[in-house]
Amino acid sequence: MTSVRVESVGRLDEDEVGRVALLVERATETDGVRPLSEHVALHLRHGGDEGVRHLLAYGDGRGALPHLAGYAHLDVTDEVAGSSAEVVVDPAWRRNGIGRLLVDAVRAETPDGRLRLWAHGESPAASGLAAALGFGKTRELLQLRR
């Protein structure tokens, strides 16, 4: 795996928000589906609840500045259902263990060890990673139109 470090912060600064937004756009273009929910997108732009964590995976060796190779949003505010997270990895950095690294980091930051991991779309890679980490599908959201 490429050298990657994960930083966990409570609030993102303007530069970090911009870098996450570019990462989300690259993933959306590649996958054909936005990797983060509207709820998380609003947290990115306008801040979020107290206790929400942003995990940033920076890879080195590909330019002067560390590259934002992945991002995870961890919401620990639901005391009934437990923490929830959403994860996205830059398409150029996939298959390097970054998704697993982010999920492991998210798990380490959950207050009680419970975690709901959201996946958007039907990515075989995301499904495979989730299964390998012991997650199973418990809920499916459908969008209906008329």
Side-chain angles (χ1 to χ4, degrees):
M1 177 171 77
T2 304
S3 177
V4 176
R5 66 181 163 80
V6 176
E7 293 180 9
S8 176
V9 298
R11 293 258 183 210
L12 297 176
D13 65 29
E14 189 175 321
D15 178 60
E16 291 165 333
V17 170
R19 293 175 88 173
V20 171
L22 287 173
L23 168 63
V24 167
E25 289 308 314
R26 282 193 296 276
T28 301
E29 288 174 12
T30 298
D31 302 334
V33 63
R34 294 195 68 75
L36 303 176
S37 66
E38 181 180 24
H39 172 78
V40 171
L42 290 172
H43 277 250
L44 286 171
R45 274 183 289 199
H46 305 292
D49 298 320
E50 194 66 34
V52 167
R53 304 299 299 167
H54 303 274
L55 290 89
L56 306 158
Y58 289 103
D60 61 7
R62 295 189 185 183
L65 291 174
H67 182 83
L68 182 61
Y71 168 77
H73 179 271
L74 173 62
D75 186 338
V76 298
T77 61
D78 190 335
E79 293 179 16
V80 175
S83 299
S84 66
E86 298 182 39
V87 176
V88 57
V89 176
D90 186 316
W93 286 75
R94 291 178 179 170
R95 308 209 48 84
N96 283 297
I98 295 168
R100 179 181 295 269
L101 184 68
L102 281 167
V103 173
D104 288 344
V106 163
R107 276 183 163 162
E109 292 210 24
T110 60
D112 61 6
R114 295 183 300 152
L115 180 63
R116 293 169 293 135
L117 189 60
W118 288 90
H120 301 275
E122 292 290 330
S123 163
S127 297
L129 175 61
L133 294 173
F135 289 89
K137 188 185 285 190
T138 59
R139 182 173 162 191
E140 184 173 2
L141 298 177
L142 300 176
Q143 190 177 72
L144 306 174
R145 289 189 175 87
R146 183 178 146 187

